[in-house]
Amino acid sequence: MLPQQLANGLLLGATYALFALGFTLMFGVLRVINLTYGFYFTLGAFLALWLTRAGVGLVLALPAAAVGSGLVAVGIDALLLTRLRRARADELSYLMVTLGAVLALYAGMAALLGPDIRRLPPGTIDEAAILLGPIRVTAAQLLILGACAVLVAALAALLRATRLGLGIRALAENPDAAALMGMATGRMAALVSFLSGALAGAAGVLIGLNFNAIHPYMGESMMLRGFVVVIAGGLGSVAGAIIAGLLLGIIEVLTAGYLSSGLKEAVAFAILVLVLWTRPQGLFGRSAAVRA
Amino acid sequence: MRFLVMLAACLVLSTAAGAAEPVPVGLVAILSGPNAAYGTAIRAGAELALAEIDAGGGPKIALTVEDSGGTKDGAINAARKLIGRDHVAAIIGPTLSNEMFAMGPVANGRGVPTIGTSTTAAGITDIGPFIFRTALPEADVIPVTMARAVARGVKTIALLYASDDAFSKSGFDTMRAAAEQAGLKILTVESFASKDTDFSAQLTKIKALQPDAVGISALVEPVSGVLLQTRQLGFGPQTLFIGGNGANSPRLGQIAGAAADGLIVGSPWFVAKPDPLNQAFVAAFHARTGHDPDQFAAQAYDTMKILDEAIARAGSASPGAIRDALLRTDHHGVMGPFRFTDHRDPASAEGVVVLEMHGGAFRVAE
Amino acid sequence: MTLPPFLADLIWTYQNVIVALGVNGLLALAMYVVLAAGQLSLGQAAFMGLGAYSSALLSLRLQLPFTAVLPLSVVAPVGFALLVGGPTLRLSGVYLAIATIGLGEVLRAVYLNVDVLGGALGLSGIPEAAPIWLIYLILAVALLLLWRVGRSHIGRAMEAMRVDAAAAAAMGVDVRRYRLGVLLASAALAGLAGALSAHATDFIGPNDYGFEPAVTILSFALLGGIGSPFGPVLGAWVLTLLPELLRGFADVRLVLNGVVIVLAVLFLPRGLLAWRMRRIAA
């Protein structure tokens, strides 16, 4: 049973990490708690649902849904946050605006589409289990693991090895200095919004595919875990988000499997609190003095 | 003199018109938020019954619908508005047992009869003498399902439920009691949160224990999620899945598809029931809404008719008289013959049929 | 005291809303206290839950009179705040926010798993012993106190901490003591609110004190503005009344609710009540 439980934990953790990837990017670079993130996750899943129903294969539907979610993210970002950026509003204003927006977006989607759970058409992905020794996994789960690895590698390469990445890092480090150096920070911020929206959309497709449950509020139910992962991992740290996500998944599964399923969440949150008590900036976060 | 006669005639006419005035009735249902699907079905069922009542000769009902949003505050506010502002003589609803536990004391305190059509948790009618339900409590349905499982040779069972929602918790308590009563050995009890999408840890543990059956008490969305994951984790057809009332929804087949095949659930009603009254209801509902009714719609449909008959028997719009008349209910509806016990619960569970999922739809279990 | 029937009916109809306005006002103040000192501490829903559960148990199990229950209801939340305050107050910003949310989720798991607390079924049959006037009296007293404190040197120290904690510490403000002080005040206010609401609606459940209520309480204070204690209360009232006024719109109601919040923050960046208190010169 243990190998299967570890695999369960790893796969659950991968979904958390996948969800948190774009969230931590948005958080870390734009320094904004953007609660609309969960909506792009929902949107990606719905875009893929409509595309696959129209007969488009997953290979095409996945990137298309990601790009679509990214573009919507840029639009919503421009609509909501440009004014706040210009006014140099504080963190809390962003929190509040995006909270209001995301309430309206989820409810609008539910009003338009109905709250029912939908699934991607059968046969979108092979649903048969794959046996790896004592472990059973599905193609969707392997796809999530693979996507996690590929997206992390691509993100790391983008941030570390390209001029664009240098710009993004400069923006994260000090937006004022970046602007003074002649960087088009507005365009750069839009780009980051696009990237994180697209990552959210891709995560929505893959997680919707795995759990077979696509509904307007699906992003909302991931948000709390997303917060935990991003903050336990350290704001803006891609590696931190991945490790925190995987750990959270494994801890939850092992608690449920060997301790008590009723305590699954309690143990996960207790560990979160303990982590913060001992490392106030998360596992991989930088101290406030450096960021200030 | 002539004037006085005319005046008297006018008065008589106006009181006669007063007697025929529609009786105000309230409906509290979840029409917004994540659980709106339940309330929408209930409203559709109630409105179909209302249309038939309007076409017939019985007392007319003026229905006011209030949305509870699925929260207890929403349900309380809805009931207070219906009673204080609209002066309703009776209320149908709310949708969830949790809402009834919050809203019931308010309506009961004002002496307004309130009939839950989908509140199946234990203790609903203990709230007070004005609280009724037409929903068969789980305690009446689940033992029937368990007996069927035993007849199929089930000896051991694992139980799984959503621990953060009152309906599922109460259904689980009933399920555990029924399993013990049926002499089943309970191998493990596992829980999850209603918004969870991953159940792999609990299911892996259950699979390792090799139970003959798995009993699940939760709303239809998580039940579907659980069933889908059992297929991923390699549960075979030898494991019998037993659902509580939450699993008794056509949406189970729509969400879980073939993964739900083989699940059995007890139900006071099912769409293909051959009874002509039921067939007429299903056809009328389909013509009105474009899709088949579910259990929630059927229960709301019957409840509206039961209330209308009670209003006729009471002969007045007084809530107290309607309450007493409700206790004398003897109705034949799409759910079958219906009476209330002295404790205002459904009197008989004889109509319960055990349904089995097959090819994404329910049919009567062999 | 007898009211004319139409007025009695009106109050009865909106009693739950009237109670919610008072209780949410208190919760907004519990949020205001910490925000005014620059602490994004989101434990108010959890403190409220502790106040509600402990007071409900005192009423149901020990049958204590409400006059005894109400003051005792602050014990559990304040005790919990003292217990976790030390390590938690080293955190700041979103780290503090998520740690306090996490503590709330741990408590919710306790409510769900401990049989005496009713699990998901919660506790019901709580005596309806909290009169409306008492809720508003407590709200008025709390407002007055916070207003007076805000105008004093304590208020100035809190504002200095909010603007720059390190600078405030350098100026001789005992930051740690102030942080613990505002946390305890917040816990006490939220605990009272919990006890009052539990004894006004007769039924409590674990899901009333989780993540979503925590975020809602934060939005009360932010919408109203934290320049003075009156802003958060106004914010709470607007956000409590809005869903009621928009009832009947079903799902569109939630859309409008969200849009109002967005427009308010975009066009009234200091909150609905931008007025700031004048301090008494030190």
Side-chain angles (χ1 to χ4, degrees):
Chain A
M1 190 165 93
L2 185 62
Q4 179 70 49
Q5 289 293 32
L6 284 174
N8 292 341
L10 189 69
L11 290 162
L12 179 63
T15 63
Y16 293 159
L18 190 60
F19 179 82
L21 211 51
F23 201 25
T24 201
L25 184 69
M26 201 178 252
F27 237 159
V29 179
L30 304 180
R31 299 188 184 183
V32 166
I33 308 175
N34 192 335
L35 297 176
T36 55
Y37 184 79
F39 174 74
Y40 311 134
F41 176 80
T42 300
L43 184 66
F46 269 93
L47 289 175
L49 177 71
W50 292 324
L51 286 169
T52 47
R53 277 194 184 159
V56 180
L58 187 65
V59 193
L60 219 62
L62 175 60
V67 170
S69 314
L71 290 176
V72 171
V74 174
I76 291 180
D77 194 285
L79 199 66
L80 293 178
L81 304 183
T82 317
R83 200 185 162 90
L84 293 181
R85 285 204 191 96
R86 218 175 290 143
R88 299 189 154 266
D90 59 4
E91 212 173 34
L92 295 178
S93 304
Y94 287 96
L95 189 65
M96 197 62 200
V97 164
T98 54
L99 173 68
V102 81
L103 288 178
L105 288 168
Y106 285 135
M109 205 154 186
L112 281 177
L113 306 169
D116 299 343
I117 288 188
R118 299 156 173 84
R119 41 189 315 218
L120 293 167
T124 306
I125 190 161
D126 190 1
E127 280 166 25
I130 300 161
L131 290 171
L132 305 171
I135 301 172
R136 293 175 68 99
V137 289
T138 61
Q141 290 172 324
L142 291 179
L143 196 59
I144 285 180
L145 269 185
C148 236
V150 168
L151 290 174
V152 169
L155 203 57
L158 177 77
L159 290 177
R160 296 285 152 203
T162 66
R163 271 192 70 83
L164 201 63
L166 189 67
I168 292 176
R169 280 187 292 145
L171 188 64
E173 207 63 48
N174 190 335
D176 293 331
L180 283 175
M181 305 288 280
M183 224 172 86
T185 50
R187 217 178 300 163
M188 201 61 95
L191 187 74
V192 172
S193 294
F194 173 79
L195 279 178
S196 70
L199 285 170
V205 180
L206 291 170
I207 293 172
L209 189 63
N210 182 35
F211 295 128
N212 243 314
I214 295 172
H215 58 100
Y217 290 96
M218 65 187 279
E220 192 187 34
S221 24
M222 287 295 281
M223 261 331 240
L224 184 55
R225 302 289 160 88
F227 258 118
V228 169
V229 167
V230 165
I231 287 170
L235 278 188
S237 163
V238 170
I242 298 293
I243 291 171
L246 293 178
L247 278 179
L248 181 66
I250 291 170
I251 290 169
E252 281 191 5
V253 164
L254 292 184
T255 307
Y258 295 96
L259 205 55
S260 156
S261 39
L263 295 178
K264 190 174 85 167
E265 284 168 327
V267 169
F269 282 105
I271 288 178
L272 165 79
V273 172
L274 289 177
V275 165
L276 289 177
W277 279 354
T278 47
R279 280 197 61 89
Q281 305 299 325
L283 293 173
F284 294 85
R286 288 169 299 164
S287 80
V290 175
R291 286 194 53 204
Chain B
M1 182 71 209
R2 206 168 174 181
F3 171 74
L4 278 177
V5 170
M6 272 178 68
L7 191 69
C10 277
L11 280 174
V12 169
L13 276 177
S14 71
T15 47
E21 224 164 67
V23 177
V25 166
L27 173 69
V28 179
I30 306 176
L31 300 172
S32 64
N35 285 323
Y38 297 102
T40 313
I42 288 170
R43 182 176 59 182
E47 284 178 349
L48 173 60
L50 197 63
E52 293 176 6
I53 289 167
D54 281 343
K60 299 283 187 280
I61 286 177
L63 187 69
T64 312
V65 183
E66 284 284 342
D67 174 21
S68 73
T71 66
K72 59 172 212 176
D73 268 334
I76 292 175
N77 288 340
R80 283 187 179 268
K81 269 195 188 157
L82 289 170
I83 297 170
R85 180 195 64 193
D86 303 321
H87 304 285
V88 296
I91 294 176
I92 295 178
T95 308
L96 300 176
S97 297
N98 227 346
E99 297 177 292
M100 183 63 113
F101 283 123
M103 180 193 121
V106 174
N108 189 65
R110 281 286 272 228
V112 175
T114 298
I115 317 171
T117 65
S118 54
T119 46
T120 53
I124 289 286
T125 50
D126 294 339
I127 293 171
F130 283 86
I131 307 301
F132 292 73
R133 68 166 141 202
T134 50
L136 268 185
E138 297 252 65
D140 285 345
V141 179
I142 289 180
V144 179
T145 326
M146 282 295 170
R148 183 65 56 94
V150 171
R152 287 195 184 180
V154 168
K155 291 190 174 55
T156 58
I157 189 167
L159 298 175
L160 185 62
Y161 73 106
S163 63
D164 63 344
D165 136 69
F167 158 80
S168 309
K169 164 79 167 83
S170 164
F172 156 73
D173 289 340
T174 309
M175 206 177 251
R176 173 150 72 181
E180 278 165 0
Q181 205 134 49
L184 296 179
K185 187 168 176 229
I186 299 172
L187 298 182
T188 183
V189 171
E190 300 294 327
S191 67
F192 55 85
S194 353
K195 280 186 181 170
D196 279 359
T197 41
D198 178 77
F199 315 92
S200 60
Q202 294 92 325
L203 290 174
T204 301
K205 189 173 168 189
I206 289 174
K207 190 180 167 218
L209 294 167
Q210 297 183 313
D212 298 333
V214 179
I216 313 170
S217 176
L219 290 171
V220 64
E221 291 83 3
V223 174
S224 311
V226 166
L227 291 172
L228 283 163
Q229 239 166 10
T230 59
R231 304 306 158 185
Q232 289 178 3
L233 289 166
F235 278 80
Q238 74 281 2
T239 316
L240 178 67
F241 286 89
I242 301 171
N245 192 41
N248 184 11
S249 160
R251 286 193 287 145
L252 182 68
Q254 288 157 20
I255 305 170
D261 277 5
L263 173 127
I264 63 169
V265 64
S267 175
W269 176 86
F270 76 111
V271 68
K273 206 168 118 183
D275 160 41
L277 199 62
N278 183 54
Q279 289 306 312
F281 160 67
V282 172
F285 191 94
H286 201 109
R288 231 179 123 88
T289 63
H291 57 87
D292 278 346
D294 61 8
Q295 178 202 190
F296 292 91
Q299 282 170 322
Y301 174 85
D302 267 5
T303 306
M304 185 59 88
K305 295 265 173 107
I306 287 170
L307 181 59
D308 185 57
E309 288 175 12
I311 291 171
R313 267 196 308 281
S316 88
S318 132
I322 293 174
R323 177 206 172 264
D324 294 340
L326 273 171
L327 282 173
R328 300 195 303 272
T329 293
D330 186 3
H331 178 74
H332 193 91
V334 299
M335 324 271 291
F338 187 91
R339 289 164 193 267
F340 285 109
T341 64
D342 290 342
H343 203 59
R344 303 166 309 282
D345 281 321
S348 147
E350 273 167 40
V352 173
V353 280
V354 177
L355 305 178
E356 181 172 6
M357 259 289 163
H358 183 78
F362 279 117
R363 64 177 186 193
V364 179
E366 321 265 290
Chain C
M1 189 173 66
T2 47
L3 293 168
F6 83 93
L7 194 60
D9 249 12
L10 194 72
I11 291 179
W12 188 88
T13 303
Y14 293 100
Q15 184 176 316
N16 197 50
V17 181
I18 297 170
V19 166
L21 287 174
V23 168
N24 289 344
L26 275 172
L27 291 171
L29 288 180
M31 190 75 236
Y32 163 77
V33 181
V34 285
L35 285 181
Q39 295 273 288
L40 188 54
S41 167
L42 300 184
Q44 287 71 24
F47 294 136
M48 182 196 186
L50 282 171
Y53 268 93
S54 62
S55 66
L57 284 180
L58 289 174
S59 289
L60 291 171
R61 299 267 156 172
L62 302 181
Q63 268 101 38
L64 290 186
F66 190 59
T67 40
V69 168
L70 189 64
L72 286 174
S73 69
V74 302
V75 173
V78 168
F80 186 69
L82 275 173
L83 198 70
V84 299
T88 308
L89 291 177
R90 287 168 49 217
L91 303 172
S92 61
V94 282
Y95 294 97
L96 176 61
I98 203 72
T100 45
I101 293 273
L103 287 169
E105 288 295 311
V106 172
L107 285 178
R108 200 171 73 94
V110 172
Y111 303 145
L112 283 173
N113 286 292
V114 175
D115 280 343
V116 189
L117 302 177
L121 299 171
L123 296 172
S124 52
I126 305 164
E128 288 187 36
I132 291 177
W133 62 263
L134 181 64
I135 300 175
Y136 280 85
L137 180 69
I138 292 177
L139 176 63
V141 170
L143 256 176
L144 192 70
L145 271 177
L146 289 178
W147 184 58
R148 290 296 293 266
V149 168
R151 279 166 55 98
S152 71
H153 68 282
I154 301 177
R156 299 201 325 159
M158 281 165 63
E159 187 166 348
M161 282 167 60
R162 183 170 82 224
V163 176
D164 188 338
M171 304 282 282
V173 175
D174 188 344
V175 170
R176 277 191 64 81
R177 249 184 75 188
Y178 271 98
R179 282 186 177 164
L180 189 62
V182 294
L183 184 70
L184 295 181
S186 178
L189 282 170
L192 282 176
L196 290 168
S197 80
H199 288 80
T201 49
D202 144 310
F203 168 83
I204 57 173
N207 297 328
D208 305 339
Y209 313 109
F211 178 51
E212 283 165 42
V215 175
T216 309
I217 295 170
L218 174 66
S219 62
F220 293 160
L222 294 186
L223 184 70
I226 53 170
S228 76
F230 299 100
V233 174
L234 181 68
W237 287 2
V238 169
L239 286 181
T240 309
L241 282 179
L242 208 56
E244 278 312 304
L245 296 177
L246 299 174
R247 181 188 288 281
F249 287 96
D251 266 325
V252 182
R253 171 176 72 135
L254 301 172
V255 179
L256 294 174
N257 210 4
V259 170
V260 169
I261 295 178
V262 170
L263 294 180
V265 183
L266 284 185
F267 296 102
L268 302 167
R270 288 184 169 280
L272 296 177
L273 200 62
W275 169 70
R276 298 170 73 83
M277 281 184 293
R278 286 190 25 216
R279 313 265 175 227
I280 297 168

